[in-house]
Amino acid sequence: MATESTTITGTGVVAGIAYAPAIWVHARPSLPEPGATVAEEARDAEYERFTVAADTVAERLAARADTVEGAAAEVLKVTAGMVNDRGWRKAVRKNVNDGHPADYATVAATQKFVDMFEAAGGLMAERTTDLRDIRDRVIAELRGEEEPGLPSITSERVLLADDLSPADTATLNPELVVALVTELGGPTSHTAIIARQLNVPCIVAAGPPINEIPAGEPVLVDGASGTITLDADEETARAEVASSRERAAIVAQWRGPAQTKDGHRIQLLANVADGQAARLAADTQAEGIGLYRTEMSFLSASQEPTVEEQAAVYRKVFDAFPDSKVVIRTLDAGSDKPIAYATLQHEENPALGVRGLRIAWGNDGIMVRQLDAIALAAEGRGDDAPTWVMAPMVAREREAKWFAELCRERGLTPGAMIEVPAAAIMADRIMPHLDFVSIGTNDLTQYTMAADRLSPSLAYLTDPWQPAVLRLVKETCRVGELTQTPVGVCGEAAADPKLACVLAGLGVTSLSAASTAVAGVGAQLADLDLAQCQEVAEAVLNASGATAARQIAAEMILG
Ligand code: PEP
Ligand code: MG
């Protein structure tokens, strides 16, 4: 008889299935309470004690960085650098001078920086795990306690943690740690970055329920769906792991450029947020960048960076792909990505508010300066490295026309995101002004289904398999074919291998997704002829809903 199982859902960041007993990272040290005071004459010695402990921690991290490669080494070096940060050490010094013991002085100084990072939000907020990590290491060192972090692991385990520190993740052995699950974190946290590099199935932001999982309990982790299943049937779980490994082996062998079984080319590109992500993408089979979300680079900026400052940021992404296409998107500030210098405050409905291209409508300075910066950064890129520029949230023909003119005046190739239903419906009017379009299925789904993409309770609606969304994709592709305009997809839909086949069947010419998803999509496309993709697409368009559409595709596409 099948036993009932419990499922916890988080954000899957690396696909793959694993089944093994759970293990937790070493506990963090208890934090000191305020109150104790150090006599004035002992304060210099107390700060010296801190300096010795911090230097030891920094040296240990730097030494560990020398034993690993790539992003792992970079992460360890950055963490060691944070221990040496002068601002942080100065804050500790001040607290010790005020009479606090070294351990509490460290806690208070770190908290000051954590508060600052959290207030900045976005990517900065995800770095607070790194700050707390160095705090805990220094406190353990001050007390002569064991360094917090990874336990020693001798057989396959699923590693659980509130949030893994970069130093923990950088040294773990992917042969023994078969999956990572964290309560906190985000898709761009260090846990996610390292898990991608090691190709270990990984789920972040699984929430407090994972604290109930005792060490030693077998858990089934599915990094694609973001689910952790307790009490899974062992035989079924092991079969799922075996078939996932078989598929992973096929995917690992896959080499681009992508095409269907009968040779129909689909360009596979990567979505990135900064230079580091672009460099990681350059190590995959991605043929270029299909979406560079420029706003992600400025989430913590309080003032608009100058044209030169912006160009320096963009250059880091261009430099990762010196001989390939890069599609750069102008600021999509607003809604869930507020930027201090570009976002209107206190909108009632920010997702329906002044976001994307709308921030520059009627006040084009911010757009003009960004396009100047893009043109400056792209100087010297040859014909084999085209720079395409697209605007987010285009809804009307006149917006497309205006944006295209600004781009062409600067020698840039203009395009638009198709992510507002109006743009898909008016594609025949919008597309003639542009050289390409890219469908943002995340927002296109949100706006088509009138369902907030951030709401977990509306996840059944914000599903890109919704036939209503796919019909808008089809209409966009029809106009694309008629006007000979390339139509890409750069929303999360492009990361789902089966949905990618449907999109190819609908007439999409390029797909852009997280770089880790590229090989999986390429391998799946290689299994099907274009005519099969078209057949599945036709069937899915006529499905009654997203679940039915998925089921139809699963039955028609094996693998
Ligand atoms: C989209 O909406 O699908 C998209 C790619 O843009 P973002 O997720 O940044 O809104
Ligand atoms: Mg969008």
Side-chain angles (χ1 to χ4, degrees):
M1 201 177 79
T3 48
E4 210 175 310
S5 53
T6 311
T7 300
I8 301 169
T9 305
T11 305
V13 289
V14 180
I17 296 180
Y19 180 70
I23 192 165
W24 286 89
V25 295
H26 273 318
R28 301 267 143 200
S30 60
L31 298 184
E33 295 293 331
T37 47
V38 178
E40 202 163 343
E41 61 280 9
R43 289 176 191 170
D44 281 348
E46 187 65 0
Y47 183 66
E48 180 57 21
R49 220 165 62 75
F50 162 80
T51 308
V52 171
D55 287 349
T56 308
V57 168
E59 280 160 23
R60 217 180 274 146
L61 289 167
R64 231 190 278 173
D66 289 339
T67 66
V68 288
E69 287 179 353
E74 217 167 288
V75 163
L76 284 167
K77 278 187 203 142
V78 169
T79 313
M82 287 169 96
V83 189
N84 288 322
D85 182 78
R86 283 172 58 191
W88 179 67
R89 288 196 178 210
K90 222 164 121 187
V92 176
R93 168 97 244 190
K94 184 185 169 300
N95 293 340
V96 173
N97 285 350
D98 289 345
H100 297 293
D103 57 355
Y104 183 75
T106 307
V107 170
T110 309
Q111 193 55 44
K112 185 176 139 192
F113 282 83
V114 166
D115 292 344
M116 256 159 48
F117 280 28
E118 274 173 356
L123 292 177
M124 293 290 278
E126 289 185 11
R127 296 286 101 87
T128 53
T129 301
D130 312 15
L131 284 169
R132 291 194 179 97
D133 178 55
I134 59 168
R135 173 199 66 193
D136 293 347
R137 283 172 199 276
V138 170
I139 289 177
E141 187 59 32
L142 279 167
R143 293 180 186 161
E145 289 173 5
E146 198 176 359
E147 205 177 10
L150 268 190
S152 93
I153 297 174
T154 50
S155 58
E156 290 195 353
R157 290 287 182 273
V158 169
L159 190 67
L160 306 180
D162 50 357
D163 203 356
L164 283 164
S165 75
D168 292 335
T169 40
T171 50
L172 57 82
N173 176 353
E175 309 228 312
L176 296 177
V177 176
V178 293
L180 296 174
V181 178
T182 62
E183 180 191 342
L184 310 169
T188 57
S189 59
H190 273 128
T191 304
I193 293 169
I194 299 292
R196 276 189 203 107
Q197 187 192 333
L198 297 173
N199 204 16
V200 173
C202 177
I203 297 172
V204 296
I210 69 160
N211 294 316
E212 306 299 319
I213 304 175
E217 166 117 5
V219 286
L220 176 67
V221 175
D222 183 340
S225 61
T227 53
I228 304 125
T229 308
L230 313 178
D231 318 318
D233 173 63
E234 183 172 348
E235 206 177 314
T236 319
R238 296 216 179 276
E240 280 185 39
V241 171
S243 93
S244 149
R245 285 194 179 156
E246 249 170 60
R247 187 73 204 160
I250 295 170
V251 168
Q253 294 295 318
W254 180 80
R255 293 288 171 270
Q259 54 184 355
T260 56
K261 202 170 172 183
D262 55 336
H264 175 75
R265 280 275 286 122
I266 300 284
Q267 200 171 35
L268 281 193
L269 305 158
N271 289 356
V272 301
D274 55 23
Q276 190 193 22
R279 287 191 293 280
L280 288 175
D283 288 336
T284 70
Q285 295 291 306
E287 291 174 58
I289 303 283
L291 168 63
Y292 167 24
R293 292 179 160 104
T294 56
E295 66 280 0
M296 302 303 279
S297 300
F298 305 116
L299 290 176
S300 54
S302 53
Q303 282 182 339
E304 184 184 338
T306 63
V307 168
E308 287 71 25
E309 284 166 346
Q310 288 188 49
V313 171
Y314 306 150
R315 231 175 254 126
K316 288 187 185 153
V317 170
F318 290 146
D319 287 351
F321 284 88
D323 305 315
S324 331
K325 173 165 127 182
V326 172
V327 182
I328 178 167
R329 180 174 76 183
T330 56
L331 277 191
D332 188 18
S335 190
D336 56 326
K337 291 173 287 193
I339 293 188
Y341 65 85
T343 309
L344 281 193
Q345 300 296 317
H346 313 303
E347 286 186 290
E348 285 278 328
N349 280 308
L352 300 178
V354 184
R355 64 168 288 203
L357 167 135
R358 298 169 185 183
I359 58 174
W361 192 251
N363 177 15
D364 66 6
I366 206 164
M367 176 71 85
V368 163
R369 287 185 292 277
Q370 186 173 24
L371 293 176
D372 284 342
I374 293 170
L376 183 62
E379 256 173 27
R381 284 171 63 78
D383 290 345
D384 52 349
T387 305
W388 290 11
V389 190
M390 62 184 180
M393 296 294 290
V394 169
R396 300 176 300 159
E397 179 184 357
R398 55 193 296 199
E399 292 166 359
K401 184 167 178 283
W402 167 76
F403 179 73
E405 278 164 10
L406 287 180
C407 287
R408 291 194 207 283
E409 281 163 14
R410 290 162 178 79
L412 298 167
T413 302
M417 300 271 301
I418 302 290
E419 55 183 349
V420 177
I425 294 163
M426 298 295 283
D428 60 330
R429 302 299 295 262
I430 285 175
M431 251 192 257
H433 298 283
L434 303 165
D435 288 5
F436 73 100
V437 296
S438 184
I439 303 174
T441 45
N442 307 336
D443 278 315
L444 188 60
T445 307
Q446 152 162 278
Y447 298 127
T448 303
M449 303 308 294
D452 183 347
R453 65 193 263 188
L454 300 178
S455 163
S457 27
L458 298 179
Y460 67 99
L461 292 173
T462 49
D463 182 331
W465 282 91
Q466 290 290 354
V469 177
L470 297 172
R471 288 181 187 205
L472 291 176
V473 173
K474 185 185 176 184
E475 171 59 11
T476 309
C477 290
R478 184 188 69 78
V479 178
E481 233 162 87
L482 219 61
T483 56
Q484 288 296 294
T485 310
V487 175
V489 168
C490 63
E492 289 310 301
D496 175 335
K498 291 192 170 67
L499 189 46
C501 294
V502 169
L503 296 171
L506 290 173
V508 161
T509 56
S510 69
L511 295 162
S512 189
S515 55
T516 44
V518 165
V521 169
Q524 184 76 78
L525 284 168
D527 279 350
L528 267 67
D529 288 335
L530 179 61
Q532 285 174 288
C533 293
Q534 288 165 338
E535 248 173 68
V536 184
E538 199 49 41
V540 158
L541 285 178
N542 291 304
S544 58
T547 309
R550 255 207 191 84
Q551 232 156 23
I552 290 169
E555 280 161 20
M556 294 178 78
I557 309 171
L558 298 173

